[in-house]
Amino acid sequence: MNDSGNRTIKLGVIGLGRAFGLMLPTFAGDRRVSVVAAADTREAARQRFVADFGGKAYATAEELCADPAIDAVYVATPHQFHAQHALLAARHGKHLLIEKPLALTLADCAAIVAAARAAKVHLVVGHSHSFDAPVQRLRALVQSGAYGAVRMINAINYTDYLYRPRRPEELDSAQGGGAVYNQAAHQVDVVRFIAGGAATSVRAITGAWDRTRPTEGAYAALLTFANGAFASLTYNGYGHFDSDEWQGWIGEMGQKKAPGTGVPRKSFATLQDETAFKNARNYGGENYSRGNPTPPAAHNHFGTLLVSCDRADLRAMPNGVMIYEDGVGRLDALPPPAVPRSEVIDELYRAIVDDVAPLHDGAWAMATMEVVFAILRSAREGCDVTLSYQVALA
Ligand SMILES: NC(=O)c1ccc[n+]([C@@H]2O[C@H](COP(=O)([O-])OP(=O)(O)OC[C@H]3O[C@@H](n4cnc5c(N)ncnc54)[C@H](O)[C@@H]3O)[C@@H](O)[C@H]2O)c1
């Protein structure tokens, strides 16, 4: 357990779905936060929350945000509600932890950033995989200057993304569905973090190859950066090859995984049936399983990340960073996490308690979303897209 610091941040959660389930081990294991209240439209989730946490459960986000016991609100509702819920929480003076993607338009991203500034509250956007300890270590190695400038980044991930149970809007790109909004938000964040943040242009192609799930399931994108670095991003969510094989069969959450255990392509008669299936497996649902309570074997990851610097190639691994120099590799090892994703709480805690501006703030997340929107536009129009809202790291 991480119990550094004397203050406990009292957190209210809006949206007790899959994202909350993934953050639950973090909230339960890190004493710097205590989840004291939640809001969800599903009654089963509210009942389970009261049983598990003994906290207050509200049917609406408005009631939760008005609760004076809460310091910060974790917005974990579907993307289309992020702006509405973030603005509401900021109006009530609550600090914000908002799930990726920040919002579905640049105007909504800007509105969230402005609302947090006006309310003088801190805003952290995550979890995103640029929080992962191996990615943070890789960035520190780059910053040390020992390996020279970052020149080229390759980020590759093959998953079963498209065939996990979905809500209807998750399969509709117009409503924020598909691999670009949902998965590029991670991959772009990671490569911006390593390359210094300020991307300059994007050229991309997307693939939507399954008519029964008519949204992007794959993309390839080439990003250029102000410092001359470039990054190639490849994602395939069609569930054939699983690139966790290249991570020694460690899954995205750092868990050990048996080889070749993808999600079977379950078919549903209607989209409503699929939503019901998803909700039944979500927090409070009849098929909900909290999963293995023991800490994961390794760190979260988002597929292969290989960074070429002047004097070395650096590869993020679930258990550290491989450093390759002149054909010889060695592991800069990281012990497994005591609490997964505690890096998110590090940033949130430093912001709220010590008033240190977080790296993953609204402007950072808006810049990531600008790249995400540019991937879609570049693919649609067949053009390079120039970027103008980028944020460089100090
Ligand atoms: N960082 C990650 O690893 C990660 C993983 C999964 C999801 N996410 C993000 O989390 C967000 C939610 O996705 P999800 O997969 O958890 O969705 P989900 O459908 O599993 O859960 C959403 C929850 O919000 C509730 N909800 C919906 N509308 C609401 C409202 N108006 N007021 C209160 N509650 C409401 C639903 O009942 C449900 O419990 C998305 O933005 C997604 O991108 C992030």
Side-chain angles (χ1 to χ4, degrees):
M1 292 219 174
N2 192 333
D3 59 357
S4 65
N6 299 318
R7 202 180 129 188
T8 303
I9 296 169
K10 296 199 180 61
L11 203 61
V13 178
I14 315 180
L16 296 167
R18 178 165 163 75
F20 169 70
L22 296 177
M23 283 302 287
L24 196 46
T26 315
F27 296 145
D30 197 318
R31 289 187 183 147
R32 294 172 297 177
V33 284
S34 170
V35 180
V36 298
D40 201 291
T41 44
R42 287 182 303 121
E43 194 186 345
R46 297 198 299 271
Q47 282 175 1
R48 170 101 196 209
F49 179 84
V50 172
D52 283 353
F53 289 85
K56 288 192 187 150
Y58 301 105
T60 66
E62 285 80 359
E63 292 167 278
L64 177 106
C65 290
D67 186 333
I70 294 166
D71 302 316
V73 168
Y74 170 44
V75 177
T77 40
H79 321 332
Q80 64 270 30
F81 298 115
H82 287 188
Q84 180 191 327
H85 291 155
L87 265 56
L88 189 63
R91 268 206 301 279
H92 283 86
K94 310 298 184 191
H95 297 287
L96 286 159
L97 173 63
I98 307 180
E99 267 301 342
K100 51 58 55 183
L102 177 59
L104 292 176
T105 63
L106 279 177
D108 274 355
C109 292
I112 295 172
V113 173
R117 280 192 190 140
K120 297 191 168 53
V121 294
H122 282 294
L123 161 57
V124 175
V125 181
H127 167 261
S128 137
H129 282 285
S130 61
F131 280 100
D132 298 349
V135 177
Q136 301 268 339
R137 173 63 66 86
L138 201 157
R139 165 85 185 144
L141 291 170
V142 166
Q143 277 181 304
S144 76
Y147 304 104
V150 173
R151 300 295 183 182
M152 178 175 85
I153 303 175
N154 268 294
I156 304 170
N157 206 3
Y158 279 65
T159 73
D160 56 12
Y161 166 78
L162 205 61
Y163 296 101
R164 299 172 197 158
R166 297 290 172 201
R167 287 177 267 109
E169 64 266 40
E170 291 180 287
L171 297 173
D172 177 2
S173 310
Q175 299 185 67
V180 179
Y181 281 116
N182 293 278
Q183 303 288 276
H186 284 299
Q187 227 175 17
V188 168
D189 220 46
V190 168
V191 300
R192 285 189 58 236
F193 184 58
I194 299 301
T200 45
S201 74
V202 176
R203 182 72 172 92
I205 303 178
T206 58
W209 307 323
D210 181 347
R211 271 190 235 154
T212 68
R213 299 178 89 72
T215 185
E216 298 84 14
Y219 59 81
L222 186 65
L223 273 58
T224 57
F225 287 87
N227 58 8
F230 55 95
S232 166
L233 280 54
T234 306
Y235 189 92
N236 182 324
Y238 283 98
H240 297 295
F241 174 57
D242 180 349
S243 55
D244 288 343
E245 183 176 329
W246 294 343
Q247 308 294 335
W249 292 111
I250 297 289
E252 181 178 347
M253 303 304 144
Q255 80 283 14
K256 275 197 184 128
K257 185 170 170 181
T261 49
V263 177
R265 291 171 193 222
K266 199 167 159 36
S267 53
F268 298 90
T270 66
L271 288 173
Q272 287 73 18
D273 288 350
E274 184 163 351
T275 304
F277 182 84
K278 176 172 182 175
N279 281 338
R281 295 203 329 179
N282 258 347
Y283 187 75
E286 65 254 34
N287 298 327
Y288 172 72
S289 146
R290 188 162 167 175
N292 189 343
T294 54
H299 292 274
N300 273 232
H301 72 80
F302 202 68
T304 295
L305 177 69
L306 186 55
V307 179
S308 295
C309 301
D310 281 328
R311 292 186 288 280
D313 288 337
L314 308 175
R315 181 181 169 197
M317 307 291 289
N319 61 347
V321 178
M322 282 297 294
I323 303 171
Y324 298 92
E325 291 170 284
D326 298 326
V328 180
R330 67 190 156 89
L331 179 67
D332 181 8
L334 288 168
V339 177
R341 296 186 172 188
S342 62
E343 301 84 8
V344 176
I345 309 301
D346 292 343
E347 236 179 82
L348 188 70
Y349 193 88
R350 273 201 301 270
I352 296 176
V353 176
D354 303 326
D355 202 26
V356 175
L359 184 148
H360 295 86
D361 65 4
W364 173 267
M366 179 166 162
T368 289
M369 290 315 296
E370 184 190 27
V371 178
V372 168
F373 303 141
I375 291 175
L376 290 166
R377 188 176 148 210
S378 174
R380 202 171 50 241
E381 298 179 10
C383 62
D384 286 8
V385 177
T386 305
L387 303 166
S388 33
Y389 294 95
Q390 294 300 294
V391 175
L393 288 171

